[in-house]
Every structure is written in C-alpha cells, then in structure tokens.
Amino acid sequence: MENTIRHNYVVTMGAKISKTIQIFAREHDCILISTPYDTATVARLINQSMPIGYFMRRDKLTTFKITDKTESIKAIMKKKRYHDFPVLDEEDRYVGMISRRTLLNLRKKQLILVDHNELSQTVDGIEAADILEIIDHHRIGTLETVSPVFFRNQPLGCTATIIYQMYQEKGIEIPPNIAGLMMSAIISDTLMFHSPTVTEVDKAAAANLSSICGVEIEEFAIDMFGAGSNLGDKTAEEIFNQDYKNFSVNGFEFSVGQINSMNSIELDEIREKIEPYIKEQMPGLPVEMCFFMLTNIVYEKTELLCFGERARELVRTAFKLPKTQKKFELKNLVSRKKQLIPAFVSVLQQWEK
C-alpha cells in the first residue's frame, strides 16, 4: 500500500497565488498558506509553533459546574497551573470558560440581612459577600463585617414591624399584598400577640397593615396557625427544618427548632414523628445539643424535647427544675428568642468546656 504524504507550502511576502496553482494544489491534496511575513520570520515562527494536541486532552479534565461555589473553585484553581477552566451545566454539557483573572475580579454579592445576624444562620458564602445593612430584632450575635454597616436592631416582637416603620419614615405607600405579608409575619412572630416579645408598637403596626390589606387579624391568625401546624403530609425532616436555628455561646454549639399550634392533638402527632428522627440524626448534626419546642399557643406552654449529652442538664439549670425531671413542659414559655435563648445563654456563659 502506497503511503500518501500531504505537502504544505507557505507563500511569503503576501505574494499572490494564481487560480491555476490553487487548483493544482487541491488536486494533489496540498495545503497552501499565504502570509505577509518574510521567509526568515516564517521559519522562526514555524519553529516556535506547537501542535494543539500537545496541550489538549480528553480525559481527567479539571472542570467546574455552574452550581459550584466561588470559594471551592478558588481552592482548586490554586492547585492547578491552567489559566482557564471549562464550565459544565448539570447535564455535563459545556457552557463556557472561567479564568483566574475573571475570578479575581469577580464582584462580590451585596446583601442586606433581615431578621438575623448570627453567622450560623446566614446563607453559605457570606464571607465572600458585602453586607450593606442588617435589620433585626434578635440579640447581637457572632457576625462580623469588614467595614461599618447600617445596623438597625430594635427590641420589638417582629422585624416586619421595623420594616413597617421604615416605610412610614420614608413616606412610601405599602401595597396591599406586601401589607398582608408583613401583617402575617407580625402575627406569626408574636403568636397572635401572646408572646412576651410583643409590644404596643407591634400591635399598632399589625392593625394598620390589616386596614391596608383588608384582612381581619383574628380570623386570619386562626387559619394561618392551623395551616402551619397541619404537617400530616410532611416528612420528619421537613418538620425539623421548618423553623430551625443554630446558636453558639461560649464555645457551645446548640440548635433550637419550634412548631406552634393551637391544637394539642396535632402537637402530640408531631412529637411522635419528630422525636425518633432527631435521635437518629443527632450524631451527624454539627451541634452538641439539640432542642425542639412544641408550643401550644392557646395554653401558652411548650413541651421541650432535648437531645445531646448535657441538654437536659442545661434545661434543668436554666429553669431551676428538679434534677430527676426528664420530661419538660414549660408553662408561660412560648418565645424562643425572648425566653428560651436568654435562659440558655445565661447558663452557658458560666459553663466550661
């Protein structure tokens, strides 16, 4: 079998290639390259040229997904010598490239934190974001900012009350749908004004918002709490994560979840579902102690479920209960923020690791 050799010809100095030569080259499978450079320059450039196959490969590629986090990408880039990396979608299809330079010049996300200021409660990647403002009504937590920010923290029953005040201060009219959402938040946070966190300012704000959205407070509250505690079709995991927060005090990590209901039977059903789930998940949770509040709004009491080696000891100490008590039904306790967390903090600040 005769070997076929393909010849390449370089025409320098921009010389014109006649059509006859082009036809002849095509018939003999020759490649013609025309360049404005002189012969010496062409020879030097050819010696410096490398086939792309020397650099490219098909397997063991370093790629990123469009859902990957910036910090994770940066960590991998530091270990690689490449300047550019392919980006794939969720089905591993190529969508573009990302370079070191692009990542270094990446503009930070700008955030306003509402209703929280604890690092453990923020979104992932908060360290790489610019926090512009914090609007909250909780205790001042562990979050740090690079530069001074506008921080509005008021001892009110709900952050929505603060937002309502800001609308009033700026003279901005509140749309009915937004008014309804803010009224719902106040009702929820203050447990229809049964929580010790509620103030007259919260009540007045809710009343004004009620007139704007045209929804009667008490009737709506009954429907809302009924829907919120109707968790029969939800899994234990969904119930657990519905209202769950992590806290850090004096080196102790703990979490508190809460479900509010106006029906004792519903709370019993929720306990039967959530208790075995937390026992099973506890070894893998990033906390030493876990608590879950089953709060009865009508009777203003909470059954507190405890998990973790020192969890029951913390409850007994915080609420001055007998050392032999294992089940905790705390009367007149409905607020995590105002009643439970402060009691825990005062004890944990005295404990030693």
Side-chain angles (χ1 to χ4, degrees), residues 102-267:
T102 301
L103 207 59
L104 290 174
N105 295 331
L106 188 66
R107 184 181 177 185
K108 291 184 176 181
K109 294 286 187 180
Q110 295 182 320
L111 301 179
I112 296 176
L113 304 188
V114 180
D115 201 30
H116 69 292
N117 70 90
E118 297 262 4
L119 181 62
S120 60
Q121 297 171 13
T122 58
V123 295
D124 292 339
I126 190 71
E127 300 85 357
D130 281 333
I131 300 174
L132 304 181
E133 299 181 21
I134 301 174
I135 312 298
D136 195 15
H137 70 138
H138 294 95
R139 74 185 186 104
I140 298 176
T142 56
L143 189 66
E144 295 182 359
T145 59
V146 176
S147 57
V149 300
F150 177 80
F151 194 139
R152 182 161 179 167
N153 188 287
Q154 295 177 241
L156 298 174
C158 181
T159 301
T161 304
I162 305 174
I163 303 299
Y164 169 79
Q165 291 178 332
M166 296 173 73
Y167 267 103
Q168 302 301 304
E169 292 163 4
K170 299 295 182 181
I172 300 176
E173 183 177 348
I174 304 176
N177 61 328
I178 301 300
L181 290 172
M182 294 167 65
M183 183 192 72
S184 301
I186 295 173
I187 293 171
S188 175
D189 257 16
T190 64
L191 301 180
M192 201 171 65
F193 314 130
H194 285 84
S195 171
T197 64
V198 71
T199 68
E200 293 302 319
V201 178
D202 295 295
K203 294 178 181 178
N208 289 335
L209 291 167
S210 172
S211 63
I212 294 173
C213 68
V215 177
E216 197 275 326
I217 290 179
E218 290 190 8
E219 182 179 344
F220 176 78
I222 293 172
D223 292 340
M224 184 178 71
F225 284 114
S229 60
N230 185 13
L231 304 174
D233 59 341
K234 291 194 175 184
T235 65
E237 181 180 5
E238 290 173 329
I239 297 172
F240 178 69
N241 290 309
Q242 181 161 309
D243 186 6
Y244 169 84
K245 293 183 178 181
N246 292 320
F247 300 89
S248 179
V249 179
N250 194 28
F252 291 92
E253 307 291 333
F254 67 98
S255 60
V256 182
Q258 184 174 24
I259 290 293
N260 301 310
S261 176
M262 304 180 77
N263 189 316
S264 298
I265 297 176
E266 281 184 337
L267 290 175

Side-chain angles (χ1 to χ4, degrees), residues 301-327:
K301 65 179 182 179
T302 292
E303 181 181 352
L304 188 61
L305 307 181
C306 306
F307 307 88
E309 185 177 349
R310 305 187 69 181
R312 286 181 173 79
E313 179 188 355
L314 176 58
V315 176
R316 295 188 196 105
T317 306
F319 296 98
K320 299 178 175 58
L321 302 175
K323 292 184 178 181
T324 56
Q325 187 167 340
K326 294 183 178 180
K327 183 177 180 179

